[in-house]
Amino acid sequence: MRTAARKRHPHDDAPRTAAAFDHLSHLPDGPEREVLRDELVRAWLPMSERIAGRYRGKGESSEDLRQVAALGLVKAVDGYDPERGHAFESYAVPTVTGEIKRHFRDHMWVLHVPRRVQELRNTVRTALRDLSATGAGSDRRPSVAEIAAYAQLSEEDVRAGLEALDSYTALSLDAESSGEDAGVTLAGLLGEWDAGFDLVVDREGVKPALRTLPERERTILYLRFFEGMTQSRIAEQLGLSQMHVSRLITTSCATVRERVLADAA
C-alpha cells in the first residue's frame, strides 16, 4: 500500500493521506502497520513543526518544542479514526497544540501550582495587560479590586493569580534583595549545611552498638577516635602490642558497623 502522495491541497498545504489512514485503520498490529504509521507521521511532521513554531520565545528551546509537537502528532496518528468523517488535520491540530500546552503547564513552572491557580494566573495576567492598555493602570499597577471587577473574579482569586505570577520564573541567586538587606544577594542570605549535624546523628546511631563491646575494646575506640591517640600510645598505655591494638580496632569497627546496619534493616 503506497502512502500519501506528495500532492498538496491548494490552501492548507496538507498531504493527501485519507486513503492511507483508511488502510491503517484496517491493519492488524505488525510490521506493515508500523511502517505505514511511521510514514504518516513523517508526512505530517511539517505541520507539527509549524505549530511548535508558534510557541517560540516562551521559555522553551525550539528543539524541545519540536519534540513535544512530534509526540502530539504520534498520538494524533494513533488516535485518529477516519470513520468519524472529519479530516485528519482537524483532529491533529488541537491534539498537537494540547500536547504543547500540557508541556508548558507541567514542566515550565519553577514551583508546582494547581491547574486552577495556573488558569487564574493567565486570567489575571490578561486583565493586567488590558487595564494597562486602556489607561487604568498607566501610572500605577491596577489594584486587586480593579482586576477583580474587570476579570469578574473574587479578590481572593486575584491574589492567588498574582502570587502565581511569581511562581512561573525564579530570581537568580545573584539578584540583590531589597529592604533592610539591600545590596545583599539572595545567595548571601541562604544558610549553609552544618556538617556537625551529621556527626551528631552518626554518634547517636552507634551508641547502642558500642555498648555491646567489651570494656577494653570500648576504651581503645574512645582513646583512638575521641582522644586522638595513636595506636602506639594506646598500646603502651594498655600494655598491648601495637599490632594487637590495630587488630582490635579493625574488629571492633567491623562489629559496630554490622550491628548498626542490622538495626537499620
Side-chain angles (χ1 to χ4, degrees):
M1 174 68 184
R2 185 181 301 173
T3 59
R6 295 301 178 183
K7 183 179 179 181
R8 307 283 183 173
H9 288 300
H11 300 295
D12 58 11
D13 194 31
R16 294 185 180 274
T17 52
F21 272 113
D22 183 68
H23 183 58
L24 182 71
S25 66
H26 292 89
L27 284 176
D29 292 337
E32 183 180 358
R33 179 181 176 83
E34 289 298 318
V35 170
L36 181 56
R37 172 180 176 267
D38 291 345
E39 290 182 2
L40 286 167
V41 170
R42 284 194 296 270
W44 285 95
L45 199 58
M47 178 206 68
S48 72
E49 292 180 346
R50 285 197 296 271
I51 296 175
R54 302 172 188 170
Y55 294 87
R56 291 194 187 99
K58 295 184 180 295
E60 185 65 290
S61 68
S62 297
E63 179 62 28
D64 286 344
L65 286 174
R66 287 196 295 269
Q67 290 182 5
V68 174
L71 176 61
L73 175 60
V74 171
K75 290 182 177 181
V77 170
D78 290 340
Y80 176 61
D81 183 1
E83 294 184 0
R84 292 181 178 273
H86 51 71
F88 174 71
E89 187 174 9
S90 64
Y91 176 77
V93 170
T95 302
V96 174
T97 302
E99 191 69 25
I100 295 175
K101 289 182 176 180
R102 278 191 294 274
H103 175 77
F104 276 98
R105 185 190 69 215
D106 297 338
H107 300 283
M108 295 301 293
W109 289 75
V110 174
L111 300 178
H112 179 72
V113 296
R115 183 181 302 180
R116 177 179 176 275
V117 178
Q118 294 180 28
E119 293 171 352
L120 288 175
R121 169 193 176 272
N122 294 333
T123 302
V124 169
R125 181 181 60 180
T126 301
L128 283 170
R129 181 189 61 202
D130 293 347
L131 289 171
S132 298
T134 57
S138 56
D139 298 326
R140 59 179 178 80
R141 183 171 181 170
S143 67
V144 171
E146 290 172 336
I147 299 173
Y150 181 85
Q152 297 183 345
L153 296 172
S154 68
E155 293 189 7
E156 182 179 354
D157 284 345
V158 171
R159 293 189 184 93
L162 290 172
E163 291 178 358
L165 284 171
D166 297 327
S167 299
Y168 193 73
T169 56
L171 287 175
S172 167
L173 290 177
D174 294 326
E176 294 186 357
S177 59
S178 57
E180 296 180 358
D181 298 315
V184 180
T185 64
L186 294 177
L189 298 175
L190 297 177
E192 297 181 356
W193 178 255
D194 189 345
F197 287 117
D198 288 335
L199 182 59
V200 171
V201 172
D202 290 341
R203 285 180 174 177
E204 291 299 316
V206 300
K207 276 184 178 180
L210 287 172
R211 293 191 186 101
T212 65
L213 295 175
E215 182 178 356
R216 182 184 60 175
E217 279 76 351
R218 292 203 306 270
T219 300
I220 291 175
L221 292 182
Y222 175 79
L223 294 175
R224 180 69 183 93
F225 296 107
F226 291 87
E227 294 295 327
M229 293 177 60
T230 64
Q231 293 182 9
S232 298
R233 287 189 59 193
I234 296 172
E236 181 180 350
Q237 181 169 326
L238 298 181
L240 303 171
S241 68
Q242 186 270 332
M243 185 175 296
H244 189 38
V245 169
S246 177
R247 285 198 297 267
L248 289 174
I249 291 175
T250 300
T251 303
S252 298
C253 288
T255 300
V256 170
R257 183 182 302 109
E258 290 175 0
R259 290 174 180 173
V260 169
L261 293 176
D263 290 342

